[in-house]
Amino acid sequence: MGIRFGDGRDWFFEKRFGLFVHWGLYAIPAWHEQTLYRKGMTRDEYVPLVQQFNPVRFDPDAWLDLAEEAGMQYVCFTTKHIDGFCMWDTAQTDYNVMHTPYGRDVLGMLAEACHRRGFPLCLYYSVVDEHQPNYPNQGRSYELPGPVPGDEPNLDKYLAFVRAQVRELCTRYGEIHGFWWDANILAHRDPSVNAMIRELQPNAVINNRGFDEGDFGTPEREWDEEVRDLRAFERPIEACQSVGVESWGYKVDEDYYSDLYLIHSLDRTLAKGGNYLLNVGPKADGTIPEEAARILRAIGRWYQNVREALDGAEPASHLIDMRDVLFTRKGNTLYAHLPCAPTRNRLLLKPLDVLPRRVTLLNTGEPVEAVVDFLPSQHHEKREYLRLRNLPVNRLTDTVLVLKLEFDDLPL
Ligand code: GLC
């Protein structure tokens, strides 16, 4: 077994594919979750959206049904993004969902559905707050250009507010499986806040974007070298990615990643031992956009065929001498994860030189031909190696191929 915490947080290594949900007032202008920061909208222009928030079609079970169809096993929900609007019945500010026409605690509804279904719930919380009068807005990333008339920037008071909100989130909604900090632009350090979360919610994993380094890293989208270049992660990781190219919240005319790109990204992250948090931005009515739902279902169809190569499997890419193919392992079974566009229809599995009992293409269940022989390209070593032949790389071009190699005794 690889890296473990050795306590209740280890659920994180069993359930490794999660649904990220960015939902808030920003679903109404339907442009980006950072509408104030990126579009230069003022607080006065944004706040009246409260009067329009009425997601009459919000059904947490529909979200979780879709997540399950995708093969996801936990959810992470934006309780408060940088706009400062709170999606729960908080006593710390009126700027919350109870004061909308909808008037219901959406976090409470989601938490109820999660607990009823045994579906772990993690909470996203932004440190930047474009609404709280005590937050010291100074025009840094995600912030307003400066305090608004009437604001009283005061970091101590703001941190007391954060602490009170975190306590609410960790005491009023039953078991919380994770706390997902974001946007600590202040670079504020204070391990006592995570210590409080740990005391109130001992099974919660905490990410590394809060007031200390937390439990796991959060490489984002395709920008991170750790995700791109490593063949196995050396620390707990949860890579995050959105189905939409531009925004995490709902965008009305969003551009989307291709199914193949997302499947490849999911496969590679899981095969390296990481977790994967894939985001959708529900619309203002509470439903998940059709294209986002279609993408999740397409991923689910792939995942359900190959998931035995990922669930409970250890990263094993160091065993085989190959650059663009990743490997995972369960005992004497080895799994090969092919790249998006394989360059050839064979795999040469150096240094293996024994025949597996059986080789199967998990995507379709079809058998794969295996031989051990001496190839011209190996003339320097004059050795035989295991070769898998006639892989259907020209027939199955719109998916990530995963092979299962069952050995009687894997000599590695
Ligand atoms: C990016 C976005 C932010 C989003 C976050 C999720 O940092 O700017 O809005 O919440 O990703 O990881």
Side-chain angles (χ1 to χ4, degrees), residues 20 22 32-34 38 81 124 142 180 182 209 220 240 248:
F20 209 174
H22 273 65
H32 194 278
E33 74 281 3
Q34 301 167 12
R38 295 200 184 211
H81 208 271
Y124 168 106
Y142 311 128
W180 216 97
D182 199 15
R209 298 189 186 184
E220 192 169 309
C240 55
W248 297 73

Side-chain angles (χ1 to χ4, degrees), residues 45-110:
E45 289 165 342
Y46 192 78
V47 167
L49 296 174
V50 170
Q51 297 314 321
Q52 292 175 45
F53 191 74
N54 193 16
V56 290
R57 297 179 64 198
F58 171 52
D59 173 6
D61 280 296
W63 290 7
L64 300 181
D65 285 347
L66 180 64
E68 280 176 0
E69 249 187 278
M72 293 162 161
Q73 293 173 298
Y74 63 100
V75 58
C76 181
F77 179 65
T78 48
T79 59
K80 185 192 86 166
H81 208 271
I82 64 172
D83 61 357
F85 183 75
C86 300
M87 297 295 275
W88 80 99
D89 183 6
T90 175
Q92 312 307 318
T93 170
D94 286 346
Y95 196 48
N96 75 57
V97 68
M98 305 309 288
H99 296 261
T100 63
Y102 193 58
R104 298 175 69 187
D105 184 335
V106 296
L107 173 61
M109 293 165 71
L110 177 62

Side-chain angles (χ1 to χ4, degrees), residues 119-293:
F119 206 84
L121 171 65
C122 306
L123 305 181
Y124 168 106
Y125 184 94
S126 167
V127 176
V128 164
D129 191 315
E130 297 164 326
H131 192 83
Q132 238 292 306
N134 294 136
Y135 181 84
N137 277 292
Q138 288 175 23
R140 293 165 289 198
S141 291
Y142 311 128
E143 294 182 344
L144 296 183
V148 169
D151 281 359
E152 292 170 19
N154 181 323
L155 189 56
D156 287 342
K157 282 191 184 167
Y158 178 66
L159 293 172
F161 166 88
V162 168
R163 204 178 267 276
Q165 288 209 311
V166 170
R167 182 172 287 278
E168 285 181 1
L169 291 169
C170 290
T171 52
R172 295 192 182 168
Y173 297 95
E175 185 173 10
I176 299 301
H177 279 79
F179 207 89
W180 216 97
W181 293 100
D182 199 15
N184 178 15
I185 288 310
L186 309 164
H188 180 71
R189 295 280 119 187
D190 179 0
S192 75
V193 183
N194 281 350
M196 174 177 81
I197 298 174
R198 294 190 193 288
E199 195 190 314
L200 298 171
Q201 295 286 347
N203 297 338
V205 286
I206 304 177
N207 80 349
N208 65 342
R209 298 189 186 184
F211 302 142
D212 66 34
E213 60 283 355
D215 298 320
F216 64 91
T218 52
E220 192 169 309
R221 297 207 193 250
E222 60 272 36
W223 304 315
D224 200 281
E225 286 167 18
E226 191 174 22
V227 168
R228 216 181 38 221
D229 303 337
L230 280 183
R231 289 171 65 76
F233 294 121
E234 286 149 7
R235 57 179 182 145
I237 281 292
E238 184 196 62
C240 55
Q241 169 75 43
S242 193
V243 295
V245 173
E246 282 293 328
S247 178
W248 297 73
Y250 174 55
K251 181 169 194 305
V252 72
D253 56 356
E254 182 61 282
D255 303 319
Y256 290 91
Y257 288 94
S258 68
D259 298 357
L260 183 54
Y261 173 78
L262 292 173
I263 287 171
H264 186 240
S265 157
L266 167 66
D267 183 53
R268 292 191 86 73
T269 303
L270 296 183
K272 293 176 193 190
N275 284 27
Y276 199 78
L277 191 59
L278 184 60
N279 177 76
V280 299
K283 298 199 228 178
D285 70 0
T287 61
I288 292 174
E290 230 169 84
E291 179 62 5

